């Protein structure tokens, strides 16, 4: 499923893939579980250091900003695609594993949609009570605010302060069609450098996921897609955000390889900034032919 500015919303279903192993990586996995867990342990220690270093004034500022943005969230229940995303939580093949999200931001939006759907499914007995949503957030100050919000909501979820990829996996050039993207790339590389390791591959090589929501950085998409194909190939459902730019390569690959992926749903939205807040307007939403899910 794709959410984003002038971008279709898509759900991609892995064709004929059943999640029948302990991890999301198909055997023989190029990353051993032991090595993956070692990387995650290193990440955990580094994340604790980064979180402890957040200045109190910055944390207070971000908390105030995030509280205002949570009034609606960048992606909210008025979107038709919200119902599709909630449906995917218990879709065939999805419930066999946990849910992984790249890009938690303020803890609302798609994070809230996934968490509420999972909480409802557990209460209804249609999902295991041990199943969890894991959301990655790269910025320490956002992580701390989002973690407090998550706990207050009592969601069956966890926030992880981490970068999906490491610094060496970023492209060397920004998009010349978007001069402002030079700043985006610099900041994203700086964040990845702070974290020292990327966790998307290790997570897939050590845990079992049935649904993956991709809403990372503007320049993390190429590396994330390579990792998804190599180390997360047993994930049954993948939702994509901002396919006009940051996940465009994922959608293009899926369309070109129908034997591997089926585009099940798409929704087009536009976005504009009003009063410093990102407002997304619903335009169209329909099942994508020939998807019959």
């Amino acid at each position: 499923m794709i959410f984003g500015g002038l971008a279709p919303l898509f759900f991609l279903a892995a064709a004929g893939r059943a999640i029948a192993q302990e991890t999301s990586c198909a055997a023989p996995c190029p990353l051993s579980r032991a090595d993956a867990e070692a990387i995650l342990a290193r990440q955990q220690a580094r994340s604790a250091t980064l979180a402890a270093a957040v200045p109190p004034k910055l944390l207070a500022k971000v908390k105030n900003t995030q509280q205002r943005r949570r009034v609606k969230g960048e992606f909210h229940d008025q979107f038709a695609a919200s119902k599709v995303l909630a449906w995917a939580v218990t879709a065939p093949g999805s419930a066999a594993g946990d849910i992984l999200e790249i890009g938690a931001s303020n803890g609302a939006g798609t994070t809230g949609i996934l968490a509420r759907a999972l909480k409802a499914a557990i209460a209804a007995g249609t999902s295991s009570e041990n199943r969890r949503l894991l959301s990655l957030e790269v910025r320490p100050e956002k992580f701390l605010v989002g973690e407090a919000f998550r706990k207050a909501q009592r969601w069956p979820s966890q926030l992880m302060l981490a970068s999906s990829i490491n610094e060496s996996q970023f492209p060397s050039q920004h998009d010349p069609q978007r001069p402002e993207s030079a700043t985006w790339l610099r900041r994203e590389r700086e964040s990845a450098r702070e974290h020292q390791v990327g966790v998307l591959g290790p997570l897939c090589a050590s845990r079992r996921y049935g649904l993956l929501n991709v809403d990372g950085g503007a320049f993390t998409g190429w590396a994330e897609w390579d990792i998804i194909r190599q180390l997360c190939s047993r994930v049954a459902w993948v939702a994509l955000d901002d396919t006009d730019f940051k996940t465009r390569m994922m959608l293009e690959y899926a369309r070109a390889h129908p034997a591997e992926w089926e585009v099940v749903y798409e929704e087009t939205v536009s976005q504009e900034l009003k009063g410093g807040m990102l407002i997304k307007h619903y335009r169209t939403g329909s099942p994508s032919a020939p998807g019959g899910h």
Side-chain angles (χ1 to χ4, degrees):
M1 185 169 65
I2 295 164
F3 310 90
L6 298 177
L9 268 158
F10 287 90
F11 267 110
L12 306 180
R17 293 176 186 161
I19 304 177
Q21 296 185 351
E22 293 183 356
T23 75
S24 307
C25 188
C29 186
L31 178 63
S32 73
R33 187 164 189 165
D35 288 344
E37 290 176 346
I39 293 171
L40 292 175
R42 179 183 173 191
Q43 169 272 325
Q44 186 175 14
R46 180 59 182 165
S47 296
T49 299
L50 293 174
V54 175
K57 288 186 177 180
L58 174 60
L59 184 60
K61 178 181 179 181
V62 172
K63 182 177 181 180
N64 183 53
T65 301
Q66 302 296 63
Q67 286 176 336
R68 293 200 309 270
R69 289 180 176 174
R70 286 198 193 104
V71 173
K72 289 186 177 181
E74 291 187 3
F75 196 84
H76 52 76
D77 292 337
Q78 298 305 311
F79 288 106
S82 298
K83 297 179 177 61
V84 181
L85 185 58
W87 167 85
V89 168
T90 54
S94 174
D98 287 330
I99 303 167
L100 178 59
E101 178 183 38
I102 304 172
S105 187
N106 64 11
T110 56
T111 304
I113 291 167
L114 290 166
R116 291 193 298 272
L118 179 57
K119 186 175 182 178
I122 292 173
T126 56
S127 187
S128 168
E129 63 180 11
N130 297 320
R131 197 171 174 221
R132 291 294 180 267
L133 162 66
L134 175 62
S135 300
L136 307 183
E137 174 51 50
V138 72
R139 297 303 310 158
E141 61 277 9
K142 287 188 176 182
F143 162 79
L144 291 173
V145 173
E147 179 68 359
F149 180 66
R150 176 196 68 80
K151 290 180 179 179
Q153 300 300 310
R154 297 186 177 181
W155 285 337
S157 62
Q158 175 188 355
L159 235 62
M160 177 182 285
L161 175 57
S163 174
S164 62
I165 66 174
N166 61 49
E167 184 187 5
S168 67
Q169 293 173 299
F170 278 88
S172 58
Q173 296 290 331
H174 69 284
D175 185 349
Q177 301 299 318
R178 300 190 181 193
E180 69 277 17
S181 69
T183 300
W184 304 347
L185 177 58
R186 176 178 57 79
R187 289 176 177 172
E188 289 180 17
R189 289 178 63 93
E190 288 173 353
S191 291
R193 185 181 309 125
E194 289 181 340
H195 285 279
Q196 300 178 354
V197 298
V199 301
L200 178 56
L203 284 172
C204 284
S206 61
R207 304 185 187 183
R208 190 177 179 185
Y209 298 102
L211 171 61
L212 171 58
N213 185 43
V214 185
D215 187 12
F219 291 95
T220 59
W222 281 107
E224 287 169 349
W225 188 236
D226 284 343
I227 294 169
I228 290 170
R229 292 180 56 222
Q230 294 178 31
L231 299 173
C232 313
S233 61
R234 291 191 176 273
V235 175
W237 297 89
V238 176
L240 305 178
D241 189 3
D242 291 325
T243 52
D244 62 331
F245 187 58
K246 61 186 182 183
T247 60
R248 181 176 57 212
M249 74 297 297
M250 304 185 191
L251 176 59
E252 291 175 347
Y253 182 94
R255 282 177 166 162
H257 297 81
E260 294 182 43
W261 296 96
E262 178 186 6
V263 179
V264 177
Y265 181 88
E266 62 179 286
E267 181 172 313
T268 302
V269 299
S270 64
Q271 61 185 18
E272 60 180 293
L273 287 172
K274 287 187 176 180
M277 294 182 65
L278 185 63
I279 309 297
K280 298 190 177 182
H281 302 283
Y282 171 82
R283 284 190 175 181
T284 61
S286 62
S288 176
H293 296 264

